[in-house]
Amino acid sequence: MPHVAPPLHWDIFCRVIDNHGDVGVCWRLARGLASQGQRVRLWLDQTDALHWMAPGALEGDWPQIEAWAWETEWPHERLANLPRSDVWVEAFGCEPPEGFVLQQRALWPSGEAPVWVNLEYLSAEPYVERMHRLPSPLMSGPARGWTRWFFYPGFTSATGGLLREVDLLARQAAFARHAWRDQATPGGAPTWISLFCYEPLALPWLLGRLHDDSETTLLITPGRAEAAVQRWLGSHAPPRHWVRRPLVDQPGFDEMLWACDLNFVRGEDSLVRALWAGQAFVWQIYPQDDNAHHTKLHAFLDWLGGPADLRDFHLFWNGMGGHPPPDLSPGRLRDWANVTEHARARLLQQHDLVTQLLGFVMEKR
Ligand code: TRH
């Protein structure tokens, strides 16, 4: 590694469970592969988010990438002339449609198969290192006899790594933070916080803190975060330094995180972006019914390290006990930013996910 990969045809399958993370991760992966000369067809069962996350994607404006609606009806008329593809990536175990598998199977001579990868959820739990790159032979169905491989993103060199664009560091170096802030809201207060969350039980604590704090600009993202803030405000108008953000494309979202001193992020993709941003952050993990996310959050915090107040705040923000910090002073945010910087430096020493995936595919072909 890194491998020089010949241009291959990839199919990425994405089924939206909820929110934006499924599309967000798949689109970043598609872009990363395309930037390495790969040809990607991205199948999405819900395409709405792509309109704002990646304008032009559905219109075919992105070289090397085709975004296709994953029809509910299969076989699908466009399958008739679909050429053979070399690599299949099913995001988060979503299973390619049977019609697709049948059509493609007929194009492969016996004894040969595409490299079929199940790109899993991101976790810092120890099982990830054990499961990464393991085969899962298919014992039944139209792909019987073929193999699907587990590919786990992660935070250590024994995992598949994280999505990181080739030009990320150059873009960050060229980023003009103050100009971005001036453009976002002229005359904003000195400390900037972004809010991208679900409905954390601790949200009233945060909003209560910030309501009368004229030193802090709060950027509120659309959707669940904005609705939760609105519920808290009721019929009252927001304070002057609270700014409603529009939905922006992924590079624009990333820049918001670079521009802020503290980022509240959620789910999977924005956590990674908060790490790359190198600023203080607090993560709201995607909640699971059986509380499996508790173990997952602890594993991440163990990997991250950092002072007790940062860990406590994470627990508090996620409704898992803990308690809030006495303040969100610039000094405390700088301490937390140092933790992120340190984590980022460790991650930069590892190969990114696209490089690792290309290497894996070359090995298995
Ligand atoms: O939206 P999410 O909560 O997605 C979640 C998680 O992925 C979770 O693990 C998964 O199980 C669940 O979906 C189904 O948070 P996440 O992962 O951060 O994804 C948000 C994406 O939206 C990310 O790619 C950034 C993008 N985004 C923009 O591009 N522009 C914007 O303006 C905003 C607000 C978000």
Side-chain angles (χ1 to χ4, degrees):
M1 214 159 342
H3 295 249
V4 179
L8 300 175
H9 284 80
W10 296 63
D11 277 294
I12 302 177
F13 292 92
C14 175
R15 233 186 240 284
V16 175
I17 306 294
D18 58 9
N19 305 312
H20 311 313
D22 309 284
V23 178
V25 168
C26 290
W27 177 251
R28 286 201 202 269
L29 174 63
R31 273 190 55 206
L33 289 167
S35 75
Q36 299 300 310
Q38 305 299 304
R39 297 189 56 179
V40 181
R41 198 165 30 222
L42 173 59
W43 300 84
L44 297 155
D45 73 338
Q46 289 178 35
T47 52
D48 301 359
L50 218 50
H51 286 291
W52 46 267
M53 207 181 272
L58 291 161
E59 291 74 29
D61 294 349
W62 292 74
Q64 310 279 107
I65 307 179
E66 289 173 42
W68 282 30
W70 177 334
E71 308 288 332
T72 44
E73 289 295 315
W74 295 81
H76 179 296
E77 53 173 38
R78 288 160 103 185
L79 277 183
N81 299 315
L82 207 62
R84 202 170 88 173
S85 76
D86 307 295
V87 192
W88 302 358
V89 179
E90 52 171 281
F92 314 124
C94 69
E95 290 274 353
E98 196 174 89
F100 173 85
V101 180
L102 279 167
Q103 184 266 348
Q104 290 279 308
R105 173 113 215 191
L107 304 177
W108 286 90
S110 134
E112 291 183 38
V115 182
W116 183 347
V117 171
N118 176 8
L119 176 66
E120 274 290 351
Y121 286 106
L122 175 64
S123 173
E125 289 163 280
Y127 76 84
V128 167
E129 292 190 351
R130 289 196 304 276
M131 299 284 288
H132 179 50
R133 298 169 59 105
L134 285 190
S136 165
L138 291 143
M139 310 304 246
S140 60
R144 187 161 173 261
W146 285 5
T147 299
R148 177 165 41 194
W149 301 89
F150 286 109
F151 198 91
Y152 278 84
F155 303 94
T156 63
S157 55
T159 70
L162 300 178
L163 285 163
R164 181 177 86 225
E165 296 79 42
V166 188
D167 62 352
L168 176 76
L169 299 186
R171 277 172 49 228
Q172 287 188 318
F175 180 63
R177 196 176 207 218
H178 292 291
W180 191 97
R181 287 182 173 191
D182 284 346
Q183 201 243 342
T185 175
T191 299
W192 285 56
I193 297 181
S194 73
L195 184 67
F196 182 50
C197 61
Y198 308 116
E199 295 79 21
L201 290 175
L203 187 64
W205 172 86
L206 180 73
L207 299 180
R209 281 255 139 184
L210 299 181
H211 191 265
D212 300 319
D213 176 1
S214 58
E215 295 298 294
T216 304
T217 302
L218 179 66
L219 302 181
I220 304 160
T221 57
R224 291 175 70 169
E226 184 181 337
V229 171
Q230 194 52 60
R231 270 195 299 280
W232 184 81
L233 282 167
S235 54
H236 298 284
R240 201 165 60 85
H241 293 309
W242 290 15
V243 181
R244 290 174 54 187
R245 293 284 300 157
L247 282 167
V248 293
D249 62 11
Q250 272 183 337
F253 179 80
D254 297 349
E255 288 185 355
M256 176 184 76
L257 304 188
W258 306 347
C260 287
D261 305 294
L262 173 61
N263 294 306
F264 286 88
V265 289
R266 74 182 200 200
E268 175 161 334
D269 187 58
S270 57
L271 167 66
V272 176
R273 307 327 290 189
L275 284 162
W276 295 140
Q279 306 296 332
F281 72 88
V282 177
W283 178 37
Q284 185 178 15
I285 191 167
Y286 184 80
Q288 290 166 267
D289 289 339
D290 53 0
N291 282 344
H293 61 288
H294 288 197
T295 314
K296 195 169 164 176
L297 181 65
H298 280 295
F300 173 73
L301 294 173
D302 289 345
W303 171 83
L304 183 67
D309 60 353
L310 181 58
R311 189 177 192 110
D312 273 349
F313 193 16
H314 268 92
L315 299 182
F316 182 66
W317 190 243
N318 282 281
M320 291 165 54
H323 40 79
D327 57 60
L328 292 172
S329 64
R332 190 180 307 279
L333 298 190
R334 262 195 308 277
D335 286 349
W336 292 353
N338 286 339
V339 176
T340 318
E341 264 304 339
H342 188 70
R344 181 175 180 274
R346 280 190 281 160
L347 291 169
L348 284 174
Q349 283 168 9
Q350 296 164 21
H351 289 298
D352 66 282
L353 189 141
V354 167
T355 303
Q356 295 213 46
L357 186 57
L358 283 169
F360 180 77
V361 166
M362 291 310 123
E363 196 185 304
K364 298 298 170 202
R365 259 167 67 79

